[in-house]
Amino acid sequence: MGRKLTLALDLGSYELKGIIFEIVEYKNTIHVLAAKKEKTLGIEEGKIKNPNLLKEQVEKVIESLTEEVGDYVDDVYLSIPPINTLQNNMVKQMIVADSTGSAIIDNSHVSELTEKLIDEIKRKSESQQLTLIDFMINEYSTSPTPKSKYEIVDNPIGMHAYSLGMDMFFVLAESYVISTLQNIFDELEVILDKVTVPYVPGSLKAVPYTARKNGALYIDFGASFTDAVVFKNNSIVHSYSLPLGGDTITSDLVRAFGKNIDDRNFELAEKMKKKYSNLIIEAEDSQKNIFFEPDLLSDLFLNLEQVKLVMRERVKEIFSLIKDEVEQSNVLKARGINYAQVILAGGTAKFDGIADVAKEVFNLPVVVATPFIDSGVDFEEIDSPEFVPVYGLAEYFAGDLRKPELSSGIFNRVMGKLKTIFNRKKRG
Ligand SMILES: Nc1ncnc2c1ncn2[C@@H]1O[C@H](COP(=O)(O)OP(=O)(O)OP(=O)(O)O)[C@@H](O)[C@H]1O
Ligand SMILES: [Mg+2]
């Protein structure tokens, strides 16, 4: 019997990012063995349009990774574009008191309430053709007597209380999307074990614990989407997906040169964007001419300053839209929540100078995250912002990104319940 290998796969709308890893139990961490990205096909604006094409690309990732490590993959952790999902919070309370009027809260109370919440979410979602794919316990609260108010507590275990409350963040996916993906992985003979959206594990990976406590805004600047997550008191208090991203910047470049947006022009502009991937305007930029199609006589050109301005303005606008949406959201307004820093991830965060542009918009410290891979293998090329979600995905479900203050026993039990969502098929 070989080692047990897992594939974490981020189905981005631009590229599929995959890593193969094994879980190092005694260190409670993962060991990454290989990583790979492949162009996404069969997905348009986050929606699966051609499952066969998608399957071929997934197969390519799996084949090249398994070839590299010389072993099969057993199961898959998957993140899917958030457009296929709904996310929400639900609060539930449960009386824990016995005949004496209070009780000491222990693991079994927490498990019971967690399971009740999950059952309720499942019941409500199934009638709407939605499937619960992921959840996180955001907050606990307790109330000492029947009449007193609930107070938020870090860890309820060991507390005297009359009742226990829980705020859960959960992610539902359209059931037909899950069954389509299920079929793809069945045909590829790997077990689809767990599914979530990229920004949950990505944000947990990129945003350090103290920042999650003090308030932070995580932004995954992808191709079709820019996702935002707000943390406060170590909870996800708000999330949002803006349907604009790196693709929007590329389209802007096509238009800036007076061209039509077709596949070829888009490709040319995409190349240009990556070549001049810098948002900081320098004095000599206005002297440098950029041609849209350099090999064409009488081609249109702009100077580099103009090209940078086109990219910079769109980046700025996307940050402003995120800022407005987040700050106008009910949760942040009602609870007076603010955040103290901004953390960027995703392929578009590779622009030089993007942190400066974000600083202009948010007036806060800005960091560009990378996965900080600790591995014997040379992962320099992929130790980059677009790999943050997929590395986070691996660590998240493997265990060490989940609430560190919670006993893992609770989590494992409840996660076991989630597994029944997916028909687990073993390779024959
Ligand atoms: N060096 C670079 N400079 C600027 N943009 C870049 C660079 N490298 C990649 N990008 C852009 O990053 C985007 C891809 O990012 P990413 O891989 O995070 O997206 P995705 O996860 O596939 O898509 P989404 O999250 O929107 O579903 C593309 O728009 C690409 O052009
Ligand atoms: Mg992405």
Side-chain angles (χ1 to χ4, degrees):
M1 223 195 88
R3 45 197 177 163
K4 181 176 184 290
L5 298 185
T6 302
L7 169 70
L9 186 66
D10 175 19
L11 290 190
S13 58
Y14 179 78
E15 277 166 338
L16 307 178
K17 286 84 139 185
I19 63 171
I20 282 196
F21 64 95
E22 54 184 339
I23 298 175
V24 188
E25 296 279 357
Y26 73 96
K27 283 205 288 188
N28 190 29
T29 181
I30 62 163
H31 180 66
V32 176
L33 298 162
K36 170 91 186 151
K37 58 184 183 182
E38 191 67 55
K39 199 169 169 39
T40 302
L41 296 176
I43 295 183
E44 279 163 40
E45 264 127 39
K47 290 274 177 192
I48 302 173
K49 289 282 154 73
N50 186 335
N52 283 326
L53 217 51
L54 176 62
K55 191 182 92 186
E56 280 170 26
Q57 295 305 95
V58 171
E59 192 168 17
K60 266 194 201 166
V61 173
I62 294 181
E63 273 179 0
S64 69
L65 284 172
T66 49
E67 203 166 290
E68 198 175 326
V69 301
D71 253 323
Y72 282 118
V73 178
D74 297 288
D75 50 16
V76 177
Y77 301 164
L78 185 70
S79 60
I80 60 174
I83 192 160
N84 302 289
T85 70
L86 278 176
Q87 41 293 134
N88 218 329
N89 285 59
M90 188 141 109
V91 180
K92 199 173 175 67
Q93 284 131 4
M94 178 179 88
I95 295 170
V96 291
D98 55 19
S99 53
T100 67
S102 95
I104 295 176
I105 296 172
D106 61 23
N107 276 348
S108 68
H109 294 122
V110 175
S111 301
E112 194 186 332
L113 184 54
T114 309
E115 286 177 24
K116 279 193 170 147
L117 249 170
I118 286 180
D119 286 342
E120 194 169 327
I121 295 166
K122 276 190 172 174
R123 209 169 346 101
K124 284 191 177 154
S125 56
E126 272 158 19
S127 60
Q128 300 171 60
Q129 261 88 73
L130 294 168
T131 303
L132 175 67
I133 57 168
D134 194 16
F135 68 89
M136 236 170 45
I137 299 166
N138 254 346
E139 260 166 20
Y140 297 101
S141 52
T142 55
S143 148
T145 66
K147 291 217 170 86
S148 49
K149 274 179 70 177
Y150 280 84
E151 299 263 351
I152 291 169
V153 295
D154 268 353
N155 185 350
I157 309 265
M159 289 185 74
H160 277 274
Y162 171 79
S163 64
L164 171 68
M166 187 183 277
D167 176 336
M168 190 179 275
F169 170 84
F170 58 91
V171 185
L172 306 172
E174 292 175 53
S175 301
Y176 80 91
V177 172
I178 297 299
S179 54
T180 305
L181 291 164
Q182 184 85 61
N183 286 339
I184 290 178
F185 288 98
D186 280 353
E187 283 172 26
L188 295 173
E189 299 188 326
V190 275
I191 296 163
L192 179 57
D193 191 7
K194 295 184 173 95
V195 183
T196 188
V197 282
Y199 63 73
V200 170
S203 61
L204 288 168
K205 171 81 190 164
V207 186
Y209 183 75
T210 47
R212 300 207 293 268
K213 253 194 131 66
N214 298 335
L217 171 64
Y218 167 83
I219 299 175
D220 177 352
F221 210 149
S224 302
F225 300 96
T226 305
D227 304 329
V229 176
V230 182
F231 286 97
K232 189 81 179 191
N233 296 328
N234 197 28
S235 297
I236 293 183
V237 290
H238 183 61
S239 61
Y240 170 61
S241 257
L242 177 74
L244 301 174
D247 281 350
T248 322
I249 303 167
T250 305
S251 301
D252 288 345
L253 285 173
V254 176
R255 278 195 220 93
F257 282 89
K259 304 274 182 179
N260 296 325
I261 300 187
D262 55 31
D263 288 354
R264 187 170 166 276
N265 287 341
F266 193 87
E267 274 315 308
L268 285 166
E270 182 71 22
K271 272 203 193 112
M272 181 193 296
K273 182 178 82 174
K274 288 188 183 164
K275 182 170 176 194
Y276 303 103
S277 171
N278 189 338
L279 303 174
I280 307 292
I281 291 155
E282 278 149 36
E284 61 275 19
D285 289 344
S286 59
Q287 310 300 315
K288 182 162 188 201
N289 290 336
I290 312 289
F291 292 86
F292 195 73
E293 290 170 85
D295 43 346
L296 204 73
L297 283 162
S298 76
D299 184 28
L300 294 168
F301 65 87
L302 294 174
N303 68 47
L304 183 56
E305 179 177 331
Q306 292 168 317
V307 167
K308 284 184 177 177
L309 268 174
V310 169
M311 302 191 293
R312 189 188 169 92
E313 283 310 303
R314 180 61 84 174
V315 167
K316 229 172 142 169
E317 190 211 14
I318 288 176
F319 285 140
S320 303
L321 290 170
I322 296 274
K323 181 174 190 278
D324 290 347
E325 196 283 339
V326 161
E327 291 179 4
Q328 293 310 309
S329 67
N330 288 336
V331 201
L332 270 80
K333 274 174 85 175
R335 291 172 55 183
I337 291 171
N338 48 29
Y339 46 90
Q341 60 175 297
V342 178
I343 288 132
L344 304 178
T348 304
K350 284 161 81 174
F351 267 117
D352 279 342
I354 193 147
D356 296 292
V357 178
K359 253 176 238 161
E360 270 178 44
V361 175
F362 292 100
N363 271 312
L364 290 171
V366 179
V367 183
V368 178
T370 63
F372 297 112
I373 305 145
D374 180 15
S375 163
V377 193
D378 180 15
F379 285 125
E380 206 177 311
E381 190 219 336
I382 46 186
D383 197 7
S384 118
E386 80 242 57
F387 271 87
V388 165
V390 73
Y391 274 90
L393 180 66
E395 293 183 349
Y396 177 68
F397 284 128
D400 53 342
L401 279 187
R402 296 218 171 224
K403 290 215 154 183
E405 70 273 30
L406 255 189
S407 88
S408 61
I410 296 175
F411 238 100
N412 292 341
R413 254 189 73 189
V414 184
M415 285 310 289
K417 273 189 99 91
L418 264 191
K419 283 187 185 156
T420 56
I421 294 167
F422 309 112
N423 312 315
R424 294 166 60 81
K425 256 196 196 168
K426 272 277 170 206
R427 193 165 46 221

